[in-house]
Amino acid sequence: MAPLKHSLLICLTVLCIILLHSGPVFAQQKPVFACDVTDNPGLKNFRFCDLSLGLKTRVDDLVSRLTLQEKIGWLVSGSEGVSRLGIPDYQWWSEALHGVSYGGPGTKFSSPIPAATIFPQVILTASTFNDSLFETIAKVVSTEARAMYNAGLAGLTFFSPNINIFRDPRWGRGQETPGEDPLLSSNYGAAYVRGLQRTDDGDEERLKVAGCCKHYIAYDLDNWKGIQRYSFNAVVTQQDLEDTYMPPFKSCVLYGDPASVMCSYNQVNGKPTCGNPELLVGVVRGQWKLNGYIVSDFDSLNEMFNSQHYTKTPEETAALAMNSGVDLNCGSFLRNHAQAAVDRGLLSVTAIDRAVSNNFATLMRLGFFDGDPSKQLYGNLGPEDVCTPGNQELALEVARQGIVLLKNTDSSLPLSPQAIKSLAVIGPNANATHTMLGDYEGVPCKYTTPLQSLTASVPTVYQPGCEDVLCGSAQVEDAKKIASTADAVVIIVGSDLSIETETVDRVNITLPGQQQTLVTEVAEVSKGPVILVIMSGGSMDVQFAKYNPKITSILWVGFPGEAGGAAIADVIFGQYNPSGRLTMTWYPQSYVEKVEMTDMNMRPDPARGYPGRTYRFYNGPTVFNFGDGLSYSQFNHQLVTAPTLVSIPLEEGHVCQSSTCRSINPVEQSCKNASIDVHLRVKNVGNYSGSHTVLLFSSPPQVHNAPRKHLIGYQKLHLTPQAEGLVRFNIDVCKHLSIVDENGNQKVALGEYILHIGSLMHSLHVVI
Ligand SMILES: *[C@@H]1O[C@H](CO)[C@@H](O)[C@H](O)[C@H]1NC(C)=O
Ligand SMILES: *[C@@H]1O[C@H](CO)[C@@H](O)[C@H](O)[C@H]1NC(C)=O
Ligand SMILES: *[C@@H]1O[C@H](CO)[C@@H](O)[C@H](O)[C@H]1NC(C)=O
Ligand SMILES: *[C@@H]1O[C@H](CO)[C@@H](O)[C@H](O)[C@H]1NC(C)=O
Ligand SMILES: *[C@@H]1O[C@H](CO)[C@@H](O)[C@H](O)[C@H]1NC(C)=O
């Protein structure tokens, strides 16, 4: 959304903390709602306030009562109330990416709810590969959001989650996403939206709070070497669009049933996404049947006109956006220009009616027009439902499940607390607080820093080693002094929001400033194990540490949320056996020196030395890979069931019956139930209980420029030492194994597929 003003946010946070600690009691604010029949019995006569009528009847009644000017007031995020009808102002823009956030003007943290549970940043949550957990988090977030709404502190419409593919490690907002894989991103988005929106009474028309699948589409560049998202034209092939950029949005809409989809700032192939009828009316509404509203990313209509000069006049932009399918403008562009667009005959009142109907229908589903919220479902939620011990424990649990162990020479982790008389804790993120949250954060219930948590288990000595993560000049000598006498060393480095966030893409992907020097010199003088902990959103080129024998362990902890420090200590001391897996490729620095961030191509192009992107296409050198992640235990896989041949009988008259085909269309009737079972036995052959994620990849026949491999399923199971479990995958051949051809059409390739599970490989032939 808007460029976050960090100094302001920090001020707000500080203010909130001051308010919290000085503890003044404020009069409780009331939530905003319409149809307050207790206060104004005359409202009973309006059909839109009549709960016994159907949604469409109520919406039509409301729209029929509004003047054009009043309708235009409901096309923008700061909507204008209509007092003669008992409708208050409403601010549509609230955020809840990983906890209720102060990132939108619709939400404030103050008495009686000065803080909320802030979960790990999404990139870490995704590495749990735990679909039910994604939904559970969002359920807690929506409960806290409703409680804040009831206290007059938040809206009901949240512009979350962010499901753009993390295409390039430099992207400052990659941290907000579930990573680079379309399947995981698809599952994450749908689960998060369901968790936000679904009510406990099973009524699908009702919404607990409204979610939003954003930012549609091919948006994953903020500000790189002066190239701004506001005017960036993403040049995307039809093939990449269909098999990389679209799938998370398609799943989010089809399986999450969101109240909203947000179009992005950028252009795709020369057209702004918020002014592209094929993408909005055609795909989102037409093919995917969105039941809700399409909202523009903040001020993107203004950017269409002022930065992109896409139309000659602002009225044309207003008309283009609305005629393309935009219903709500985050910002004020439509308030200023919709009337003129109507006056010039560019925009019809019918289009405005459609838009406000979609917007009002969403608010009705949220209960906004049902009168006093305290008498409705969720009306009883209040401050006591926010930051509960259970919610805070869940934030800790997510961080534990997400942390990824990338190196562990000689089983140096876990450390035994009894054996450590002195632990040196070093690094600019060793005592991190706000940094642990990542962006789109809120005020957390409390912080548990790594240093505090490590100190709770063993005696520690601490040296930050750098003034901040920029680490302009490392204080190497002080750090070496404590490292050389300690039994073990934990060095916590990485980035923060000054290095990667909205409007800030990276140029380099090495550790910032002199952090590498600090780590190397400290490791050199250490006598015991050296544990390098990387706290960051995007990946870091830490080859130097991977290959340095003095550095015995590497942990990546993302931005681990308010309880992150406790999770880090739990992993280091073995109270929790790590099970997270990377959801993005870790490239060497040479990658970003060679590849332009603006290049949207997923597929390699050897002719121009372009290596491609993500584990699905890139086959150059990596630092770590998608799916990497160790455990303190070992797990064996054994195939139990897996066919070697699957035959798809073609219908009579199919063109492939008389010619040699490399692929068939999965629309064939015969394809409908071609499915195979892959079962495997997983055994924990180590000495620690733990969870293990089985990632099932397919390498399809190399036709149509297919991915070299892609994830087709994953399952996670928990096993005690020596225990076995059975993992069952049911693979729909035409759905899961299918690829996309050069024209963007789905195909099933014929020939040999290799299925991979860890180092186990299985050959499967798909024939006709
Ligand atoms: C670590 O951070 C906490 C929370 O901000 C603070 O209270 C504490 O003083 C810090 N510890 C050190 C040694 O700087
Ligand atoms: C990136 O790395 C190069 C080479 O090490 C260096 O010259 C440049 O200053 C770095 N840029 C930034 C923004 O850190
Ligand atoms: C596919 O499934 C349908 C419904 O389950 C069944 O009626 C049909 O016989 C199946 N077709 C094949 C080819 O197995
Ligand atoms: C498990 O513990 C036993 C006894 O301490 C040890 O001999 C064995 O090597 C351990 N196994 C693994 C896989 O670490
Ligand atoms: C997934 O998360 C839930 C909720 O924390 C947890 O109970 C479950 O054990 C996790 N699944 C695995 C296999 O670790």
Side-chain angles (χ1 to χ4, degrees):
M1 297 294 300
L4 294 174
K5 300 277 186 297
H6 282 292
S7 51
L8 175 66
L9 291 181
I10 289 160
C11 292
L12 283 175
T13 313
V14 170
L15 181 66
C16 291
I17 290 167
I18 292 168
L19 291 177
L20 172 63
H21 287 291
S22 55
V25 178
F26 294 93
Q28 176 156 348
Q29 284 174 277
K30 277 180 53 166
V32 287
F33 63 97
C35 300
D36 189 353
V37 291
T38 329
D39 231 31
N40 183 352
L43 297 174
K44 276 199 184 117
N45 303 325
F46 294 130
R47 286 159 67 84
F48 69 85
C49 290
D50 184 344
L51 274 65
S52 70
L53 297 174
L55 183 67
K56 184 168 187 314
T57 310
R58 294 175 68 192
V59 170
D60 289 349
D61 176 67
L62 173 54
V63 174
S64 75
R65 293 175 191 279
L66 299 179
T67 65
L68 179 58
Q69 205 46 46
E70 286 167 341
K71 290 172 189 170
I72 289 172
W74 286 86
L75 295 175
V76 291
S77 49
S79 286
E80 286 162 42
V82 185
S83 52
R84 69 188 172 83
L85 298 176
I87 303 172
D89 293 350
Y90 179 71
Q91 174 52 256
W92 290 79
W93 182 3
S94 286
E95 301 276 352
L97 183 69
H98 52 116
V100 180
S101 164
Y102 41 59
T107 304
K108 295 188 283 293
F109 286 87
S110 84
S111 174
I113 306 184
T117 309
I118 309 302
F119 290 89
Q121 183 56 293
V122 176
I123 191 73
L124 188 74
T125 298
S127 63
T128 68
F129 280 88
N130 187 338
D131 287 352
S132 67
L133 186 61
F134 304 155
E135 195 164 337
T136 304
I137 294 168
K139 262 185 102 158
V140 168
V141 172
S142 57
T143 296
E144 296 199 347
R146 263 283 169 179
M148 288 184 73
Y149 166 75
N150 290 342
L153 296 172
L156 292 165
T157 42
F158 291 83
F159 295 165
S160 309
N162 178 349
I163 50 167
N164 292 107
I165 290 289
F166 194 175
R167 170 187 61 97
D168 187 295
R170 290 164 283 196
W171 189 30
R173 302 187 72 177
Q175 58 175 298
E176 300 172 25
T177 76
E180 72 184 26
D181 181 64
L183 177 68
L184 180 63
S185 299
S186 293
N187 292 347
Y188 178 86
Y192 197 81
V193 169
R194 286 195 302 265
L196 285 182
Q197 294 193 163
R198 284 199 177 167
T199 56
D200 296 293
D201 63 4
D203 180 348
E204 283 180 23
E205 196 170 271
R206 276 195 166 272
L207 296 167
K208 189 175 174 192
V209 301
C212 174
C213 310
K214 76 183 186 186
H215 316 74
Y216 182 77
I217 192 171
Y219 162 53
D220 49 33
L221 174 149
D222 264 57
N223 175 6
W224 178 73
K225 296 189 176 174
I227 296 164
Q228 300 281 343
R229 57 180 172 169
Y230 309 115
S231 52
F232 176 58
N233 176 24
V235 177
V236 182
T237 67
Q238 206 55 36
Q239 190 173 26
D240 287 341
L241 192 65
E242 292 297 332
D243 77 355
T244 295
Y245 298 105
M246 283 279 192
F249 289 92
K250 183 174 181 182
S251 298
C252 198
V253 176
L254 293 184
Y255 308 120
D257 197 11
S260 165
V261 167
M262 180 184 288
C263 51
S264 55
Y265 280 114
N266 55 290
Q267 298 189 343
V268 173
N269 299 333
K271 289 185 185 168
T273 63
C274 294
N276 185 331
E278 291 83 28
L279 285 177
L280 302 182
V281 175
V283 176
V284 176
R285 275 217 192 274
Q287 291 175 27
W288 302 343
K289 310 262 182 287
L290 171 73
N291 177 23
Y293 64 98
I294 296 177
V295 58
S296 68
D297 200 346
F298 179 67
D299 235 9
S300 57
L301 303 193
N302 187 45
E303 302 297 345
M304 260 161 84
F305 179 67
N306 278 315
S307 308
Q308 301 176 14
H309 311 293
Y310 190 71
T311 63
K312 289 203 194 66
T313 63
E315 299 83 71
E316 285 171 79
T317 291
L320 176 66
M322 292 206 61
N323 291 331
S324 298
V326 169
D327 301 302
L328 187 77
N329 161 216
C330 191
S332 53
F333 197 85
L334 288 179
R335 173 163 28 231
N336 299 336
H337 302 294
Q339 179 71 56
V342 173
D343 294 344
R344 297 210 183 159
L346 301 168
L347 179 62
S348 69
V349 175
T350 316
I352 292 179
D353 285 352
R354 174 219 77 213
V356 293
S357 297
N358 287 331
N359 301 342
F360 286 133
T362 303
L363 287 180
M364 280 193 192
R365 295 173 68 199
L366 287 159
F368 185 83
F369 286 94
D370 292 356
D372 187 353
S374 72
K375 302 199 176 97
Q376 301 172 30
L377 185 66
Y378 301 119
N380 58 342
L381 294 175
E384 64 285 357
D385 299 293
V386 181
C387 289
T388 64
N391 295 356
Q392 295 190 58
E393 179 63 25
L394 185 65
L396 170 60
E397 173 63 15
V398 178
R400 285 185 188 125
Q401 286 193 33
I403 290 174
V404 184
L405 177 65
L406 291 166
K407 175 181 180 182
N408 197 22
T409 312
D410 301 331
S411 303
S412 68
L413 281 181
L415 298 181
S416 155
Q418 293 75 32
I420 307 286
K421 300 284 168 273
S422 161
L423 180 72
V425 181
I426 294 168
N429 277 339
N431 199 28
T433 51
H434 184 249
T435 298
M436 292 196 295
L437 307 182
D439 69 359
Y440 281 84
E441 74 284 26
V443 182
C445 315
K446 67 168 198 238
Y447 289 113
T448 312
T449 81
L451 178 61
Q452 286 166 347
S453 305
L454 294 166
T455 305
S457 294
V458 295
T460 57
V461 275
Y462 165 61
Q463 278 293 337
C466 309
E467 203 177 323
D468 51 32
V469 288
L470 295 172
C471 201
S473 64
Q475 289 101 54
V476 175
E477 293 313 316
D478 296 340
K480 279 162 75 175
K481 199 183 285 171
I482 65 163
S484 63
T485 56
D487 296 325
V489 178
V490 173
I491 316 179
I492 308 182
V493 299
S495 66
D496 66 12
L497 299 184
S498 68
I499 287 169
E500 43 175 347
T501 190
E502 184 162 26
T503 73
V504 183
D505 296 330
R506 286 183 291 169
V507 172
N508 292 333
I509 54 172
T510 44
L511 288 177
Q514 295 197 346
Q515 288 189 28
Q516 177 170 334
T517 307
L518 175 72
V519 173
T520 306
E521 297 213 8
V522 162
E524 192 52 39
V525 300
S526 301
K527 57 187 171 104
V530 176
I531 293 111
L532 176 65
V533 178
I534 301 155
M535 188 181 287
S536 68
S539 62
M540 296 284 173
D541 178 352
V542 288
Q543 287 176 85
F544 76 96
K546 182 178 175 183
Y547 299 116
N548 181 341
K550 298 279 291 187
I551 297 169
T552 49
S553 302
I554 302 176
L555 288 166
W556 175 72
V557 302
F559 291 129
E562 62 170 47
I568 293 168
D570 285 348
V571 166
I572 287 177
F573 293 119
Q575 264 93 49
Y576 190 86
N577 183 0
S579 61
R581 303 297 196 93
L582 292 182
T583 66
M584 72 283 196
T585 305
W586 284 38
Y587 302 91
Q589 166 72 14
S590 58
Y591 183 84
V592 299
E593 284 159 8
K594 184 152 72 184
V595 174
E596 300 280 304
M597 193 178 172
T598 47
D599 195 324
M600 300 297 290
N601 286 287
M602 299 304 295
R603 289 162 162 83
D605 181 356
R608 58 185 178 96
Y610 180 69
R613 294 181 179 280
T614 79
Y615 81 92
R616 289 160 63 230
F617 300 102
Y618 172 74
N619 56 13
T622 59
V623 180
F624 293 110
N625 298 309
F626 177 88
D628 277 358
L630 304 167
S631 164
Y632 296 151
S633 217
Q634 291 83 42
F635 298 88
N636 280 356
H637 300 139
Q638 196 193 344
L639 217 46
V640 178
T641 310
T644 54
L645 185 72
V646 53
S647 155
I648 304 176
L650 289 185
E651 278 159 23
E652 251 176 80
H654 189 284
V655 63
C656 290
Q657 282 183 333
S658 53
S659 69
T660 342
C661 288
R662 299 186 304 163
S663 64
I664 60 164
N665 295 328
V667 292
E668 291 295 319
Q669 205 54 37
S670 49
C671 202
K672 281 241 165 82
N673 24 11
S675 77
I676 57 164
D677 286 318
V678 175
H679 295 176
L680 57 146
R681 196 172 295 133
V682 180
K683 183 169 183 186
N684 183 346
V685 295
N687 288 334
Y688 293 88
S689 287
S691 290
H692 175 68
T693 300
V694 177
L695 300 173
L696 177 61
F697 294 97
S698 160
S699 290
Q702 288 303 298
V703 299
H704 297 309
N705 231 336
R708 44 192 287 271
K709 95 184 198 183
H710 64 131
L711 187 66
I712 59 172
Y714 55 88
Q715 278 184 40
K716 196 173 186 185
L717 74 173
H718 190 272
L719 293 172
T720 55
Q722 303 311 312
E724 283 184 355
L726 192 66
V727 171
R728 296 186 180 88
F729 292 98
N730 181 254
I731 309 297
D732 179 329
V733 172
C734 295
K735 195 167 148 204
H736 298 114
L737 291 185
S738 71
I739 57 171
V740 167
D741 74 6
E742 293 81 348
N743 301 318
N745 298 316
Q746 225 194 332
K747 295 281 176 184
V748 177
L750 300 173
E752 186 188 23
Y753 290 70
I754 305 293
L755 304 183
H756 314 242
I757 304 126
S759 56
L760 199 136
M761 292 197 198
H762 174 76
S763 163
L764 169 75
H765 283 84
V766 175
V767 299
I768 50 177

